[in-house]
Amino acid sequence: MLTRTLVSLVLSGAAALAQDAQQYRIFYGDLHTHTSYSPDASIHFGARHYEDPGWACLQARRNGLDFLAVTDHDFALGPRKWALTQLQVNRHNQPGVFTTFLGYEWTSMTSTITYGSNDVTFREGSGHRCVIFNDRDVPWQIYRCTDPRYDEPTKLWAQLRTWLDGHPDADVLTIPHSPMSDEEVRYSTTVGDFYLRGDQTVDWDDVDPEFQTLVELFSKHGSSEGSDGLERTDPRRFDATYAALKSGNHALVQRALRTWYLPVESFDTYAEHSVQTALNRWLDPDAQTPEGYKLGIIASTDDHEVRPGSVQEDGEEITWSCHGGLVAVHARENTREGIWEALRAKRVYGTSGARIELWFEVEADGARQAMGGTLSCGGKPKLVMRAKGENGQRIERFDVIKNGVLHAQVRPVRSLGEWKAEYVDESYDADAWYYVRAVQSETLTWYRADMELDQMPMQAFRLGERAWSSPVWVEKAE
């Protein structure tokens, strides 16, 4: 049951959180971005030939990012372009100043062409994943989803294990993105219109606790968070899912996007692919690999205009529904080793683009665990939250998400320039996972209801930018 609570700050808990935080600094980055090496960036979004991975690194620094992964589409990265990507990305890595990672997007999707009443599926897929390596030691050629040897996630993971056996210092993550996304693009021809539909939804039966430990919840596609109670009552679509609107009915899609409402029947179609659905599988007693559903939460842009980190809400022309998000990490230093350790520890969170500073941990039985961790609890867990809004913006509330449900909305208290709150879950009686959304005061933002630029201009409205923490998993003590 949803509770709304105004809490008074217990200073001892806040002090403990602040003391822990002194070990780490917050760094912002983008782990999902494309360059002119990706055909859709060149054809659909006008990326010029010189806007290559090196250019992307320069733009990321101009946009104030601390770290970046370049993740062009696998089907377009032959040996030459992969070698050039390595050369340029490694060249721009500057420990302590700007960190770069090598990667690519394993772009697996089910593709269908619709003409009139006819549907032709010409490719089966399993969802997109960004494959990111920890350092310069990478395979000499990538493992593409178009190669039958690697066209399923389990095949990809098996090959990565084989490669890692001979490279003891290497490591790799495969991060699913936009797991609820099902895109439809209309093409007009002299003989009529046809639609190309790309279903990139993620099947959460495909799980690997070694490689798939993070999930990209928010990007230019919108949010794949899930239905935690807000979507059905909030008139803004912001807490909903861009991909979930893709019901196949073009008129419904456009109407839904323009009003930012989420059709319930459309959401239900894609709910099984949401991030919250995946996280809830940890609670399933029949899950064969429950640890595989302990997923840290990030956001990124999925930029195709070679402007990684361009998330400023300044009214600049955009070609997607929104600007996309950023990933933030709590790391000791801005190096490949420091950022990677934070990613592996799931000491990470995602934002809708605003540079919100967020800390979240759970206390139980004298122990404390920060976002991304697990702890045992024999009593009642206490959630400790604090945040700083971008440019001094007020943090209006913390939404406490418990087991995929909006469990509480907690009003913070301002102290020493931060917004702080605590919440004790008196209803706790079994295993549970928690994460928090820190929601800023409303500011102006922009969206486009139709990606056909000559059909629909940008529109402005007000919303509260937000940050999503990674969960803490609380196990009931015997």
Side-chain angles (χ1 to χ4, degrees):
M1 181 178 179
L2 175 64
T3 59
R4 290 176 173 80
T5 310
L6 177 64
V7 300
S8 59
L9 184 67
V10 179
L11 293 179
S12 60
L17 184 62
Q19 185 177 10
D20 247 12
Q22 290 176 4
Q23 301 179 54
Y24 305 113
R25 295 170 56 196
I26 294 177
F27 300 101
Y28 296 95
D30 193 344
L31 294 178
H32 185 187
T33 187
H34 296 267
T35 77
S36 59
Y37 289 3
S38 292
D40 52 350
S42 300
I43 297 171
H44 295 299
F45 299 98
R48 291 156 289 191
H49 67 91
Y50 59 83
E51 294 179 326
D52 54 18
W55 182 271
C57 293
L58 290 173
Q59 297 305 308
R61 293 196 64 175
R62 290 173 181 170
N63 285 324
L65 293 185
D66 298 305
F67 62 95
L68 174 74
V70 175
T71 55
D72 280 306
H73 293 297
D74 57 354
F75 56 81
L77 282 180
R80 178 178 175 274
K81 284 186 176 179
W82 180 230
L84 288 172
T85 297
Q86 295 175 56
L87 178 67
Q88 296 173 67
V89 170
N90 285 327
R91 178 186 296 160
H92 284 274
N93 185 59
Q94 297 185 36
V97 179
F98 180 68
T99 297
T100 62
F101 293 102
L102 289 160
Y104 65 92
E105 182 182 299
W106 188 78
T107 313
S108 176
M109 71 174 75
T110 299
S111 301
T112 303
I113 288 180
T114 300
Y115 182 77
S117 59
N118 300 313
D119 286 343
V120 177
T121 297
F122 60 92
R123 181 180 171 194
E124 297 288 344
S126 307
H128 295 191
R129 288 167 173 83
C130 290
V131 180
I132 301 175
F133 298 90
N134 67 322
D135 210 337
R136 62 175 57 241
D137 188 6
V138 299
W140 73 273
Q141 65 178 3
I142 63 175
Y143 309 124
R144 299 181 181 86
C145 66
T146 51
D147 187 325
R149 294 174 295 174
Y150 322 121
D151 62 355
E152 297 175 7
T154 52
K155 294 180 182 179
L156 171 67
W157 295 325
Q159 177 58 35
L160 288 172
R161 282 191 177 86
T162 299
W163 178 78
L164 285 171
D165 285 344
H167 301 264
D169 295 327
D171 197 10
V172 60
L173 291 168
T174 62
I175 306 174
H177 78 82
S178 308
M180 295 177 72
S181 184
D182 180 5
E183 297 181 335
E184 185 177 278
V185 179
R186 182 177 63 186
Y187 292 89
S188 296
T189 70
T190 56
V191 295
D193 293 345
F194 72 90
Y195 296 88
L196 174 62
R197 180 182 178 189
D199 181 352
Q200 62 191 55
T201 53
V202 171
D203 183 347
W204 291 117
D205 286 339
D206 296 323
V207 60
D208 191 294
E210 179 182 355
F211 298 122
Q212 189 168 279
T213 62
L214 304 172
V215 59
E216 183 184 300
L217 179 150
F218 186 83
S219 70
K220 290 189 175 185
H221 294 277
S223 169
S224 287
E225 182 174 16
S227 179
D228 56 39
L230 276 179
E231 284 83 356
R232 297 167 192 261
T233 57
D234 193 330
R236 297 168 305 182
R237 190 207 55 89
F238 190 73
D239 279 311
T241 303
Y242 176 74
L245 299 172
K246 298 295 189 178
S247 62
N249 182 322
H250 192 69
L252 175 62
V253 168
Q254 297 309 312
R255 186 166 69 252
L257 282 171
R258 290 189 184 104
T259 60
W260 288 75
Y261 275 89
L262 179 67
V264 173
E265 65 275 12
S266 177
F267 180 85
D268 289 344
T269 303
Y270 294 90
E272 66 181 289
H273 305 290
S274 74
V275 172
Q276 290 178 353
T277 294
L279 292 170
N280 265 341
R281 288 202 177 191
W282 176 70
L283 300 167
D284 184 354
D286 297 324
Q288 294 183 353
T289 316
E291 291 298 304
Y293 299 104
K294 287 185 173 181
L295 299 169
I297 291 174
I298 71 167
S300 284
T301 61
D302 194 3
D303 171 65
H304 280 66
E305 299 169 278
V306 205
R307 298 188 301 166
S310 294
V311 293
Q312 295 79 11
E313 298 289 359
D314 53 11
E316 184 178 350
E317 189 77 5
I318 59 175
T319 53
W320 295 69
S321 62
C322 59
H323 280 286
L326 296 176
V327 52
V329 303
H330 291 269
R332 291 183 175 86
E333 59 184 13
N334 186 10
T335 62
R336 283 178 170 171
E337 296 78 11
I339 302 297
W340 194 262
E341 186 276 332
L343 293 172
R344 271 300 185 185
K346 304 171 194 169
R347 214 166 43 249
V348 298
Y349 64 94
T351 87
S352 58
R355 300 196 181 202
I356 298 170
E357 298 180 36
L358 176 63
W359 296 263
F360 170 55
E361 72 176 18
V362 177
E363 297 181 7
D365 304 341
R368 292 182 293 113
Q369 189 59 254
M371 64 175 79
T374 302
L375 80 166
S376 177
C377 177
K380 304 298 181 183
K382 179 169 68 175
L383 282 61
V384 184
M385 304 152 270
R386 64 187 180 100
K388 288 183 180 180
E390 183 178 53
N391 298 324
Q393 289 287 329
R394 176 188 179 92
I395 299 297
E396 293 289 344
R397 68 179 192 272
F398 291 102
D399 294 336
V400 176
I401 311 301
K402 175 186 178 183
N403 297 345
V405 175
L406 178 60
H407 180 72
Q409 290 183 306
V410 187
R411 300 292 178 181
V413 174
R414 184 166 187 173
S415 174
L416 301 177
E418 299 175 345
W419 296 92
K420 306 176 182 181
E422 293 181 0
Y423 174 79
V424 176
D425 183 9
E426 297 292 350
S427 69
Y428 176 81
D429 59 2
D431 291 352
W433 56 265
Y434 303 86
Y435 70 80
V436 298
R437 281 191 305 244
V439 183
Q440 279 190 171
S441 55
E442 291 186 349
T443 52
L444 191 67
T445 191
W446 299 83
Y447 81 104
R448 185 185 297 281
D450 196 322
M451 287 175 62
E452 298 177 32
L453 305 187
D454 57 341
Q455 301 288 328
M456 178 60 59
M458 291 195 307
Q459 299 181 43
F461 67 107
R462 300 184 68 82
L463 60 76
E465 301 285 356
R466 59 207 60 204
W468 298 265
S469 78
S470 285
V472 174
W473 290 268
V474 183
E475 299 175 343
K476 182 66 175 176
E478 297 294 338

